[in-house]
Amino acid sequence: MSQENMQWTRLLSSARWTGGPASARARGAGTPPTAGDSRNPFERDYGRVLYSSAFRRLQDKTQVFPLGRNDYVRTRLTHSLEVSYVGRSLGEALGDRLAGAEEFAGTPAAGSLGARVGAAVASACLAHDVGNPPFGHAGEKAIEEAFKRRGRAVRFEGNAQGLRLLTKIGGDSIDGHGLQPTAGTLGAFMKYPCTESFWLAAKNREIVPANRLECKKFSVADTEADVARFVRDACGLIPRGDAGTRLAFARHPLAFLVEAADDLCYLVADMEDSFNAKIVSYDDARHFLSAFWKHEDAARRERVETRLREMEARRDLHGAVNFMRATAIGGGIRAATEAFDANEGAILAGTFEKSLFEASRLSEEMAALRAFSLAEIYRARVVGSVELMGFQVMQALADFFLDWAENPGSAKGEKIASVFRFRDETGTPEGRVREAVDYISGMTDSFALATYRRLCGISDGGNF
């Protein structure tokens, strides 16, 4: 297998996944742009995600804190919008720099690279959480444990479910299923470009990964191996292995920008939300967020500190934390951009094994903030309470729907299929399990809780 560097002209592939024959997908078959539509293909990806029902459901899915606790904290929808904004900034900076590269010299694409790369990263960022189940990571673990108790080895991974939503089950479009994103956007979306089978083989030491970062988790369920091959071939991503469903390849360079945008937004914003939720003190927020501009030039540091002192003097602490969050995000964008530029060669060669922030001037600051957040925020009592509720609700729902998956012909199974409109397209237990997982993971927090209450007889109002 060739180990040549990845090339930007292929990495920005606008070929669309349509679910049709592989030969057609490789040629980039798909819906042509509408006359008068000036958007680039990646901007159209953004619109498809933005208007999808899977994205809208994020407004009722927990980010960290229980929904409805106060009006300040973020949901997964507001988090995704913020990540998308940061991702677009990172992508536009990279695209503007690439426009002057020899690879694009004299090409029509050179003048619009900033907008194209920015839109590809923004689209992947907007979609990065669409596969997450209700109640966050607790929901993921609850689904796995419920199926495990019934002898079903179901490994739920939000990244892989997101890819499935984007390409197979996220609504029908004019010439296929899913949202039919471009290969470039899908490549940026796939944080861990390996299938579940490959990841499991690596975990069991049957395979030695070429790059440890690429299969820390998996972004591709075995059922979407065909999608992964399409992305690999269309974008020219370096192959790592391809044996049946054991498939892996080098991470798309834009995935590093998506990861950086997510890391920056959730760590910095969670500190702001935690202050507003009265979990962390102002002194803690100032200590960790002010570290983000200590590497800036003296004039910028002084302007920031002067503004903060003015706000502190009038006791506008909420405003001060808001200002620090914005300033920290700006510093993080600059640091991630510098880290990508400095390591672009290794990234294109598929040999880079760190996140951008681990290789940046903010590596120590991000690590310190992450450690503090893990100890003081994500283990806070209010966060633990919603996770416990999520476990109870999701495990009960998984058990309930497994009764249909395993015994569809029983009286209960037939009633479940009728009420919840399950299709059983494959006619196999495995297919029914997959359908049940798709249904449960697509629920919002409120709908999951309401369904649980009705099934338990706690509430008899409304329909499922």
Side-chain angles (χ1 to χ4, degrees):
M1 295 182 182
S2 172
Q3 294 297 307
E4 295 179 359
N5 285 6
M6 294 175 278
Q7 303 297 316
W8 283 112
T9 49
R10 292 190 66 185
L11 290 166
L12 300 176
S13 171
S14 59
R16 289 197 178 278
W17 166 264
T18 66
S23 58
R25 295 196 299 269
R27 292 195 301 270
T31 307
T34 303
D37 188 348
S38 61
R39 296 173 300 163
N40 65 61
F42 309 114
E43 199 62 59
R44 288 195 286 275
D45 286 344
Y46 189 93
R48 294 180 184 203
V49 175
L50 183 67
Y51 286 97
S52 68
S53 58
F55 181 74
R56 288 195 301 277
R57 286 195 294 269
L58 295 180
Q59 68 184 315
D60 190 14
K61 289 195 178 186
T62 300
Q63 173 64 12
V64 174
F65 302 102
L67 301 183
R69 179 174 170 83
N70 61 53
D71 292 334
Y72 291 102
V73 299
R74 291 161 171 84
T75 66
R76 285 202 178 272
L77 185 140
T78 49
H79 164 71
S80 296
L81 289 169
E82 291 175 352
V83 174
S84 185
Y85 175 81
V86 171
R88 188 182 293 274
S89 298
L90 293 171
E92 286 179 349
L94 172 61
D96 288 343
R97 180 174 63 76
L98 289 176
E102 182 179 350
E103 192 173 353
F104 292 99
T107 66
S112 62
L113 271 179
R116 290 171 66 87
V117 179
V121 178
S123 297
C125 287
L126 196 70
H128 84 281
D129 267 352
V130 294
N132 283 22
F135 308 111
H137 293 299
E140 289 185 335
K141 295 172 185 174
I143 291 173
E144 288 189 357
E145 290 190 11
F147 282 88
K148 183 178 180 181
R149 287 204 313 268
R150 300 278 286 265
R152 298 283 176 181
V154 174
R155 296 177 185 85
F156 187 89
E157 172 54 53
N159 293 294
Q161 186 67 18
L163 182 67
R164 181 169 170 80
L165 272 164
L166 292 175
T167 60
K168 299 254 179 108
I169 63 171
D172 295 333
S173 51
I174 195 168
D175 54 0
H177 297 289
L179 305 183
Q180 300 180 8
T182 60
T185 292
L186 287 173
F189 174 86
M190 295 166 70
K191 187 176 180 180
Y192 305 107
C194 69
T195 60
E196 180 181 352
S197 292
F198 189 97
W199 167 81
L200 190 59
K203 183 180 179 182
N204 294 335
R205 299 184 180 180
E206 299 169 26
I207 294 174
V208 178
N211 184 317
R212 63 176 179 84
L213 192 65
E214 295 166 358
C215 60
K216 183 179 178 182
K217 296 182 181 179
F218 61 92
S219 288
V220 187
D222 289 349
T223 50
E224 278 66 66
D226 53 348
V227 179
R229 287 191 179 89
F230 159 72
V231 174
R232 179 198 63 190
D233 296 343
C235 294
L237 302 173
I238 298 171
R240 302 299 198 196
D242 189 349
T245 57
R246 285 190 180 184
L247 175 68
F249 43 86
R251 181 188 273 195
H252 193 296
L254 296 186
F256 286 95
L257 299 183
V258 175
E259 177 183 52
D262 185 25
D263 287 349
L264 179 62
C265 285
Y266 88 77
L267 283 171
V268 172
D270 287 352
M271 178 61 75
E272 181 184 27
D273 282 351
S274 299
F275 171 75
N276 289 326
K278 297 182 172 56
I279 290 176
V280 302
S281 67
Y282 177 78
D283 289 343
D284 282 335
R286 199 187 201 293
H287 171 75
F288 286 100
L289 294 181
S290 64
F292 278 75
W293 56 82
K294 75 177 186 181
H295 299 291
E296 305 283 359
D297 62 80
R300 183 187 293 271
R301 292 200 307 271
E302 182 55 32
R303 288 196 302 272
V304 172
E305 289 295 334
T306 298
R307 175 78 182 278
L308 275 176
R309 286 193 292 270
E310 292 172 353
M311 299 176 86
E312 290 166 348
R314 60 176 186 267
R315 302 299 297 169
D316 182 12
L317 301 187
H318 283 280
V321 172
N322 181 283
F323 173 70
M324 286 191 287
R325 182 262 307 150
T327 305
I329 292 287
I333 289 174
R334 287 187 289 276
T337 298
E338 293 168 3
F340 189 97
D341 293 350
N343 294 282
E344 183 181 359
I347 290 171
L348 290 173
T351 59
F352 191 62
E353 295 191 84
K354 295 181 177 181
S355 71
L356 290 182
F357 278 115
E358 286 176 323
S360 78
R361 55 186 167 87
L362 289 177
S363 59
E364 293 183 1
E365 289 76 12
M366 285 288 283
L369 178 55
R370 191 185 302 274
F372 176 84
S373 298
L374 180 62
E376 303 297 331
I377 298 176
Y378 307 137
R379 292 176 181 168
R381 185 174 183 179
V382 66
V383 177
S385 67
V386 74
E387 289 182 341
L388 281 173
M389 180 179 66
F391 262 107
Q392 179 67 20
V393 170
M394 297 304 288
Q395 286 190 340
L397 292 178
D399 274 333
F400 177 77
F401 290 116
L402 262 176
D403 286 342
W404 165 74
E406 295 176 344
N407 300 288
S410 67
K412 182 178 180 181
E414 290 179 352
K415 186 62 67 177
I416 291 172
S418 173
V419 171
F420 292 93
R421 300 177 182 177
F422 287 145
R423 294 174 294 184
D424 192 13
E425 292 180 343
T426 67
T428 65
E430 293 74 22
R432 289 190 292 273
V433 167
R434 180 71 265 176
E435 189 174 350
V437 171
D438 288 341
Y439 184 77
I440 296 168
S441 65
M443 292 178 171
T444 62
D445 289 16
S446 296
F447 184 72
L449 184 56
T451 301
Y452 170 79
R453 285 173 170 167
R454 289 173 195 140
L455 292 174
C456 293
I458 300 171
S459 168
D460 60 359
N463 297 316
F464 290 111

